[in-house]
Amino acid sequence: DIQMTQSPSSLSASVGDRVTITCRASQSISSYLNWYQQKPGKAPKLLIYAASSLQSGVPSRFSGSGSGTDFTLTISSLQPEDFATYYCQQSYSTPRTFGQGTRLEIK
Amino acid sequence: QVQLVQSGAEVKKPGASVKVSCKASGYTFTSYDINWVRQATGQGLEWMGWMNPNSGNTGYAQKFQGRVTMTRNTSISTAYMELSSLRSEDTAVYYCARENIPHSGYGLFDPWGQGTLVTVSS
């Protein structure tokens, strides 16, 4: 199974900050990397697919990059509604696996 | 709009089985694979498997092989996930999630159902 490791596990930031979350795969997954946002008590929501493609309706302050084993999710200017938990997920092979999550909290 | 609506919360005893439903609307049910993902309280996301609603073909994570069964009823656009031999560690919210691209097997999940809490307790 491909292991996905996110860092940091939690992060405190302020509205307007630029934030970067990292995801590392245990083997190369090309660009088969997706990012989801989850708010408490809600289902995850797709933000980025294929490492860098923005899902329709997602604000442009979200961006993704990387390929192979190292990936990043960047939020260019944090908004109040962005405080949530973020997960990366590989779709290179089955079983599909997720990172452990990064909890983004208000400073 | 595309929507997945899941059945309500369940409480089960250890050793029992649970069957969660996921009713699809707003698209052609048989054109997109359905995946199941679970999340224990305060924990991360764990993929359980997928089903092609057109053919009924399935693929399960090794961890759940022999305990999970994914089925569908195309006449009512509903997918089902049944988990047997329940234990306390199976207490979690179970989500269905539609594959974003028709029959691609890409593994991209959008949208998701609202989740069904399954509690296993004696």
Side-chain angles (χ1 to χ4, degrees), chain B residues 39-97:
Chain B
Q39 184 173 38
T41 302
Q43 302 300 308
L45 300 164
E46 182 175 33
W47 180 79
M48 300 178 69
W50 64 270
M51 180 192 65
N52 179 322
N54 186 48
S55 64
N57 289 346
T58 56
Y60 304 138
Q62 182 79 12
K63 175 176 180 177
F64 300 102
Q65 286 275 3
R67 281 210 304 144
V68 70
T69 305
M70 296 176 188
T71 57
R72 88 287 191 211
N73 182 334
T74 56
S75 67
I76 56 172
S77 300
T78 301
Y80 302 93
M81 186 284 299
E82 184 170 21
L83 189 62
S84 62
S85 302
L86 290 168
R87 35 211 187 228
S88 59
E89 310 90 88
D90 294 317
T91 295
V93 175
Y94 289 76
Y95 293 102
C96 59

Side-chain angles (χ1 to χ4, degrees), chain B residues 3-7 21-25 78-79 96 112-116:
Chain B
Q3 197 172 8
L4 300 175
V5 177
Q6 298 184 222
S7 49
S21 68
C22 172
K23 183 171 177 60
S25 61
T78 301
C96 59
W112 296 55
Q114 84 276 19
T116 296

